[in-house]
Structure formats: C-alpha cells, structure tokens
Amino acid sequence: MALVVICGQPCSGKSTAATCLAEALRDSESKPTVRIIDETLFHLDRNQTYANMPAEKNLRGVLRSEVDRSISRDGIVIVDSLNSIKGYRYELWCLARAAGVRYCVVYCDAEETDCRKWNEDRKNNGEASYDEVIFDDLSRRFEKPDSRNRWDSPLFELHPSKDVVDKSTSAILDAVSYLTKKVDSKTKDVKVLQPTIATQTARPSQANSLYELDRATQEVMTAIVAAQSQALGVPLNGISLGQGLPVINVQSSVGLPELRRLRRTFIKLTSQTSLSGPPPPSDAESAKRMFVDYLNRELGA
C-alpha cells in the first residue's frame, strides 16, 4: 500500500513522529495494517551501529532487506531511522517503485541545538543516546531532503522545536490523508509508483520456456542424426519421435551443419514472436511438435 521514510538529525523526534503517524493511520477510516521498522527491531545499539562506516553500512543493508520483505500493497511500512543519506533514500524509493505502492518522506526539521539538548537529556535519564563524537559526525553528514527530488517527494515536514508533535499535528494528518486516500481516474494529488522493466523480475515462465525450447530442439536434432546413422545410407521414410508427435519427413540425408542452422533459425523466430505475441511453449512436447512442423516445412521445401 505504501512506504513511509522518516528522516532527520539524531534525536530530532523521528521515533515520536513514527509512532504518532502509525496511531493516526490505525485510527483512520481505512484502518490499514501498519508496521514500523527501526534499529530496535534488531536489538542494535546506536553507538555500536554508527561507530564506523562498515557497521553503518551493514545497518542500512539490514533495514533495506527487511523493508524489501515487508513492503506490500496490503499494508503501510514506516522506516524509522536516520535515513540521512539521499542515495539510501533513493534505494528505498526504488523498492517502493518495484512494489508499485505509494511513497512519501516525513522530515523532522529540528534545530541542531535542540537535538543536542534532547540527546543530553536522554543520557542523563539513562535512555538510549548517542556519544558526543558520533552525534557530531552524524549531524555533520546529514543530507537534508529536497522535495524537488522524486525520492524525497511528497515531503511532509515536522518542526519538533516549535510544535508539539502528536497524531493531530497538521503534517501528520496530511500524510495520513495522502496515504489512505482512495485512488481512481480522477485522483491527481496522490501518486502510486509504477514498476519499470528495470525493477521487475523476469517471469519464471519465460525463462523456463526458453530452456525447454532449447532442450527440446536439441533432442529432436539428436534423434535425426541417430536415425540417419542407423539407416547406413538407406532412404528414410520418416523418423518417429514417439506417441503423440508428428513424423519427421526426411527423404534424403541432412547434414549436421544444416540441422544446426535450422535449429538456430527456429529458436530465433520463436523468441522474436514471443516478444509481440504469446510466449514460447513451456513444455517439451509442445516445443518438439513445433520444431518438427518447422523442419517438415523447411526440408519439404
């Protein structure tokens, strides 16, 4: 249904915003299924996770994999993390596009001085907080979202330094309206991302069809070569491949190079036809029957 990315500087109220948004969504008329994905889901310590670049990269990979498994058209996934790198937000946007769901970014735009104060308050209260060195590093590297970027749009901004954030905050209500609004042909203010060729996985049936086609034609060609070898120069009246398959009408000897050329041409023609018409046969019997009919036409001509 949708993917929501929460972003902001350390201790800017992202978890509060995620919780308020989830509550507002559950209280909405559509009552969608909402899941929040954050570091605590994997029992990760903040300071250890952001202590160095390899650890931070591993965290992003873990979160991205969990989002990829959880995203669907039946529920809303909220990613509650720093999401401070625009390239990473683009990766999450690609996941939403591949799934064909809505996407938005909720930005907690808090002053750095307030974020630093809130981090100190958490430390004094014995709550999860950032070491000062790590806080400075994360704050310095934060890349602010820009609504002009497709992976940062639509952008809903919260201001925890100025306002009290709860489920009745205007930005939260706007996000809920965007995420739950019914989409039809007249809806223009809600965008559902559409999968592209680059994000779609090839259908297994097509891959299996090409494999069966290649294997079946090879078996037919092998049967012709074996029958001609056993005939020892005696003219053949026909080569039978088994019950249910047509007879191959070979009146004169056909060399292996000629058979290979016919096989390549048949596979090429079948593959080209499948791009604009029905897919190639997905079972060996159908592929053999088509190839035998093609050989009878070509060798008869």
Side-chain angles (χ1 to χ4, degrees), residues 203-224:
R203 292 183 298 176
S205 59
Q206 292 181 344
N208 293 341
S209 298
L210 293 176
Y211 170 76
E212 291 294 343
L213 185 66
D214 182 79
R215 188 181 68 170
T217 53
Q218 181 64 46
E219 290 179 359
V220 172
M221 193 174 69
T222 301
I224 296 175

Side-chain angles (χ1 to χ4, degrees), residues 156-185:
F156 301 98
E157 297 188 16
L158 297 172
H159 302 281
S161 301
K162 303 176 182 178
D163 306 317
V164 176
V165 177
D166 55 30
K167 60 182 182 181
S168 62
T169 304
S170 59
I172 295 292
L173 295 177
D174 291 342
V176 170
S177 175
Y178 177 83
L179 295 170
T180 59
K181 187 174 183 179
K182 186 177 179 181
V183 178
D184 53 33
S185 59

